[in-house]
């Protein structure tokens, strides 16, 4: 099974909450209590996201974390990469890791293609998209993304 880790899931949940009121600053404690998440995990995630440039932080009594740029400009691919590193389904799809069998592998180009498709899919969905619930029985504005991904070659 391919899955994102728990912290990445939490990061998307936290960023989606912040995207609903993008001009507001949020403390780790408030975010943790609003989403029912452990505060140490929330603090760690917020620091990672701030280091990646998705969040800004302000110190002081009225400080906290806020979005560094509009939610439309933050993609799921950027969030996953910030939390987990480069998106790669296999080691051979991660150029930094490399593979000792790459020169004789007949399927590595297929894995690289699949990796690019997954990356494009995540890059096509913005944080703003994640704040909009899907209508019952539909995929909302994501239909165009799914169609374009199905046509990738």
């Amino acid at each position: 099974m391919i899955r994102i880790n728990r912290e990445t899931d939490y990061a998307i949940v936290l960023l989606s909450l912040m995207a609903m009121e993008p001009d507001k600053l949020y403390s780790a404690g408030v975010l943790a209590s609003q989403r029912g998440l452990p505060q140490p995990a929330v603090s760690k995630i917020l620091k990672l996201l701030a280091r990646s440039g998705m969040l800004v932080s302000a110190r002081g009594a009225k400080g906290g974390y806020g979005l560094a740029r509009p939610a439309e400009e933050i993609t799921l691919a950027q969030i996953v990469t910030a939390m987990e590193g480069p998106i790669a389904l296999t080691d051979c799809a991660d150029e930094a890791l490399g593979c000792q069998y790459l020169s004789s592998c007949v399927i590595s180009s297929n894995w690289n293609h699949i990796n690019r498709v997954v990356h494009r899919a995540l890059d096509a969905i913005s944080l703003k998209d994640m704040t909009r619930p899907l209508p019952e029985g539909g995929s909302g504005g994501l239909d165009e993304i799914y169609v374009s991904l199905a046509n990738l070659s």
Side-chain angles (χ1 to χ4, degrees):
M1 176 185 310
I2 301 170
R3 23 171 44 173
I4 60 172
N5 70 38
R6 184 175 295 160
E7 287 181 346
T8 302
D9 183 30
Y10 290 171
I12 294 167
V13 167
L14 296 170
L15 287 168
S16 296
L17 175 68
M18 297 170 85
M20 291 181 180
E21 291 186 69
D23 297 328
K24 185 176 172 181
L25 291 178
Y26 298 84
S27 71
V30 167
L31 288 169
S33 66
Q34 284 185 343
R35 289 299 184 215
L37 301 173
Q39 185 170 342
V42 170
S43 294
K44 178 182 174 184
I45 291 165
L46 293 175
K47 288 177 188 171
L48 282 169
L49 294 171
R51 268 188 250 136
S52 74
M54 277 182 250
L55 295 180
V56 293
S57 64
R59 293 183 174 209
K62 296 189 182 213
Y65 292 90
L67 295 180
R69 55 188 191 272
E72 300 83 23
E73 296 176 15
I74 299 172
T75 69
L76 287 187
Q78 293 168 346
I79 299 167
V80 170
T81 300
M83 296 300 297
E84 300 191 29
I87 297 167
L89 300 179
T90 64
D91 286 345
C92 66
D94 184 347
E95 293 172 10
L97 294 177
C99 175
Q100 62 182 338
Y101 306 108
L102 189 60
S103 63
S104 62
C105 182
V106 295
I107 64 166
S108 65
S109 64
N110 292 321
W111 278 119
N112 287 325
H113 174 71
I114 293 165
N115 186 60
R116 286 189 301 274
V117 170
V118 169
H119 190 275
R120 283 185 203 142
L122 294 174
D123 206 38
I125 302 169
S126 74
L127 181 58
K128 184 72 170 178
D129 294 330
M130 294 298 288
T131 65
R132 299 178 189 131
L134 295 177
E136 192 171 316
S139 64
L142 298 178
D143 283 333
E144 292 173 20
I145 294 168
Y146 299 138
V147 169
S148 66
L149 291 173
N151 294 324
L152 286 177
S153 55

